[in-house]
Amino acid sequence: DDNGYTDDWRGYDFWSDDNSPQAGEENPDGDGTTHGSMVAGVIAASANNNLGGAGVNQQTKILPLQVFSDDSEAYTSSLVAAIYYAAEQNVDVINLSLGTSQYDSVLLEAIQAARASGVIVVAASGNCALNDEPFCNPLEAPGRMTYPALYPSVLAVGATTSGGVRASYSSYGPLLDIVAPGSNIGPLPVYNDLSTSSYASASGTSFASPLVAGIAALLVAQTPSSSTSQIEDVLINSVVKPSTMSGQNYTNEYGFGVVNAHRATLLNQAIAQSSSLGTGELSARSPASGAIWRAATGTLASDETIVIGCRTFPGDTCQATLEKSGTILRYTTLVNSKSADSQYFLVKASDLTSGSWNTSVHSREYGKSIGTLVR
C-alpha cells in the first residue's frame, strides 16, 4: 500500500524492521517476550472462554507494534517510528507501558503529533518510587516518575493495590493524572513457545496503564466524535477518590483519583445526551432543569453510581439534592462565571440508606423535582 512498510498486515516489528510483531522469534527465552502480551491482555483478553482473566474492553482491536527486543532492549528511534505509524493507522488510543529516565525531545514531538491527530496517549508512571534500581536514581525524588509519563501530552497512570492505596513501587508526582489497579493483575496471557497458552498474574504500573487505555477506548466507542481532551476530562471527572486522599481533589500520589469504568461510561453517556436537560436559552431567573442517568433500572444496587445532570443559567450555582424523611444530601458546584450551563454530579448508591429518595435540582433561587430513587 506504499506506506513504506512491506506486508504489514498484522502490525510491525520496529526493532528488527520486519512485518512480524511476534515475540520470541530471536530469543524465545528472553526477558522481553512476555510483557507485551500481558499488557494487551489487560486491555482486550476475551471473556467467557474459561481461560485467564477478561480484558476491560473485549471488543476493541489491538495493533501490535514491537519496539523492544526479546531481551528487553529498545531505542528511542523504534518507539518514535511506532508512534508515528500508529497515528497514521488512525488508532484511537496508544498505550505506553514503558519508561526511561531521560527527556527526549524527538519522542515528545512524536507524542504531541499523535495527540494533535486525535490519538489519546496513555503512559505508565514508572515503578521507581522505592528507588531500588540504578535506572531510577536520576529521576526526581521522592516519586521518581519516568518519561514519557512526565510529558504533559500524555495521560500519566500510577498503580494501586487491591486495597485501593498507592502501590509502594508506583512512581508519583505533580504530573500524575490518574491511578488504576496494578498489583496482582490477571491471570494474563503469557508468551510461551510461540503461543499464549500460559497464564500468570503481574504487578506494575505497566498493568495499570492499559486498564486506563482500555476504558478510554470504551469511551471513544460510546462517543466517536469526542475530542481527546473530552475523553480525558471524562476519565478524570469520574474517578473514585480514595480515603487516603483526605478529601482533596488532587494529590501527587493519586493524581485525581482511581479510574472507574462504570462511572466513566455513565458520565460520558450523560454528557452525550445533554439535550435531555433542555436546549432553550436560559435567563438569569430561569429554574434549573435536570435528569438522572443510570446503568440499570429498579432498586439501586450498593455498587451503583447515579449521574444527576443539572442545567442553569451559565455561571449560576447548580445543586442537586436527595431527600428522604427529613434527611437531605446536597451536591453543589462552585459559582464560576466561566462554567458550562450543564453540570453533573456522580452519586454513590452506597451513600444512601434504604428507602425512597426524592431527587431535585436547584438554581440559585429555584428548585425542581426530577424523580425518585429507591435504594
Side-chain angles (χ1 to χ4, degrees):
D1 55 6
D2 295 324
N3 71 344
Y5 299 94
T6 303
D7 295 336
D8 54 324
W9 58 274
R10 60 171 181 172
Y12 203 78
D13 179 351
F14 290 89
W15 171 265
S16 300
D17 193 21
D18 63 41
N19 66 347
S20 176
Q22 171 68 57
E25 291 179 327
E26 293 183 351
N27 180 8
D29 298 320
D31 292 337
T33 58
T34 62
H35 189 265
S37 296
M38 299 180 81
V39 168
V42 175
I43 299 172
S46 298
N48 302 317
N49 59 4
N50 295 316
L51 293 172
V56 69
N57 187 347
Q58 298 127 40
Q59 301 302 314
T60 197
K61 295 179 180 180
I62 298 291
L63 174 60
L65 304 179
Q66 184 173 347
V67 298
F68 281 84
S69 74
D70 290 337
D71 297 311
S72 293
E73 301 169 298
Y75 294 109
T76 299
S77 57
S78 298
L79 178 56
V80 167
I83 291 172
Y84 279 116
Y85 178 95
E88 290 167 359
Q89 299 300 315
N90 297 316
V91 301
D92 296 306
V93 184
I94 292 175
N95 178 72
L96 299 173
S97 288
L98 48 84
T100 175
S101 59
Q102 298 181 352
Y103 171 89
D104 192 306
S105 61
V106 177
L107 176 56
L108 175 58
E109 288 174 6
I111 291 172
Q112 290 174 328
R115 196 175 189 283
S117 67
V119 181
I120 300 163
V121 183
V122 184
S125 68
N127 304 321
C128 283
L130 297 174
N131 196 26
D132 52 0
E133 295 183 19
F135 159 79
C136 302
N137 290 340
L139 296 164
E140 184 175 349
R144 291 187 163 83
M145 281 180 61
T146 59
Y147 296 98
L150 282 169
Y151 298 133
S153 302
V154 309
L155 196 66
V157 183
T160 60
T161 68
S162 58
V165 299
R166 182 184 66 84
S168 60
Y169 56 78
S170 181
S171 298
Y172 61 91
L175 291 177
L176 182 68
D177 292 301
I178 201 168
V179 293
S183 298
N184 297 316
I185 303 300
L188 300 169
V190 178
Y191 163 87
N192 183 19
D193 193 23
L194 294 180
S195 73
T196 52
S197 58
S198 300
Y199 292 83
S201 296
S203 298
T205 56
S206 280
F207 307 101
S209 179
L211 200 152
V212 173
I215 296 174
L218 284 173
L219 300 181
V220 172
Q222 268 191 311
T223 56
S225 61
S226 292
S227 67
T228 55
S229 294
Q230 289 170 328
I231 296 296
E232 290 167 352
D233 285 346
V234 169
L235 286 168
I236 288 172
N237 290 329
S238 59
V239 296
V240 174
K241 308 285 186 184
S243 59
T244 41
M245 289 183 69
S246 302
Q248 299 177 78
N249 185 52
Y250 179 93
T251 68
N252 288 347
E253 293 197 347
Y254 293 92
F256 288 98
V258 184
V259 71
N260 186 284
H262 167 47
R263 290 162 64 94
T265 51
L266 192 62
L267 177 60
N268 199 44
Q269 178 185 7
I271 294 172
Q273 298 173 351
S274 61
S275 59
S276 298
L277 300 176
T279 57
E281 186 175 346
L282 297 174
S283 68
R285 298 187 63 82
S286 296
S289 60
I292 300 171
W293 283 267
R294 291 186 57 190
T297 59
T299 302
L300 293 171
S302 61
D303 60 351
E304 187 176 349
T305 290
I306 312 100
V307 171
I308 300 174
C310 177
R311 182 169 177 256
T312 64
F313 179 73
D316 199 355
T317 301
C318 207
Q319 183 183 84
T321 64
L322 286 85
E323 184 273 335
K324 186 198 77 168
S325 303
T327 299
I328 299 176
L329 301 179
R330 292 184 173 88
Y331 299 84
T332 308
T333 58
L334 297 176
V335 177
N336 184 344
S337 61
K338 296 182 179 180
S339 65
D341 57 351
S342 297
Q343 300 171 31
Y344 301 90
F345 310 91
L346 286 90
V347 179
K348 293 188 293 184
S350 57
D351 291 340
L352 310 178
T353 56
S354 298
S356 297
W357 291 82
N358 296 318
T359 308
S360 304
V361 290
H362 304 263
S363 63
R364 197 187 310 267
E365 299 182 18
Y366 301 98
K368 181 180 180 181
S369 176
I370 58 172
T372 300
L373 294 168
V374 180
R375 172 75 163 89

